[in-house]
Structures are given as C-alpha cells and as structure tokens.
Amino acid sequence: MGEQDCLIVTSDRTEKAPTFSVEKVDAIGAGDSFTGALAVAFLEGKSIIKEAEFANLIGSNCKKYDPG
C-alpha cells in the first residue's frame, strides 16, 4: 500500500497497521527493511498486528537517511 497503512488480512479479520510520517529523503531499501522487520517480528512470536507495526516503523525510518 506504499505510504498508506499496511493492510493485514487473515481468515477471521482485516485490520490496518498505521504508518509513521517521516520526511522522505531516499526510499531505497524501505521495502527490504519492511520485509526483514516483518520476518524478525514473526520469529519473535509477536502478533500479526505488532509485526506489521514494527515493520512499518523500520521501513519508514529507512526513508529518512541518504545512503550516498
């Protein structure tokens, strides 16, 4: 969903995890950071909504830094 909320769909519910507003400097790696954070949260046993919130936080913070 890009800069919008993260949509979570399971067999028994649909929820949105909020995004975090940051000044975008460079979005390179934001999706990879999101996916990695989602995997880490899953392996830590967090709930699906907490996984998505954590992934949104990490992905959005990746946009704040200029890698160059």
Side-chain angles (χ1 to χ4, degrees):
M1 295 180 64
E3 295 177 1
Q4 299 176 10
D5 298 336
C6 174
L7 185 64
I8 302 163
V9 180
T10 67
S11 60
D12 57 341
R13 68 181 187 204
T14 300
E15 290 186 57
K16 288 184 179 181
T19 56
F20 297 85
S21 179
V22 295
E23 180 182 344
K24 183 167 63 172
V25 175
D26 191 332
I28 293 175
D32 294 332
S33 297
F34 175 92
T35 303
L38 193 65
V40 166
F42 172 78
L43 292 172
E44 289 179 344
K46 296 190 183 323
S47 69
I48 188 68
I49 191 71
K50 292 295 181 190
E51 290 173 19
E53 289 172 353
F54 179 66
N56 278 342
L57 175 65
I58 299 303
S60 66
N61 277 301
C62 180
K63 293 181 180 183
K64 291 174 26 177
Y65 302 102
D66 182 0

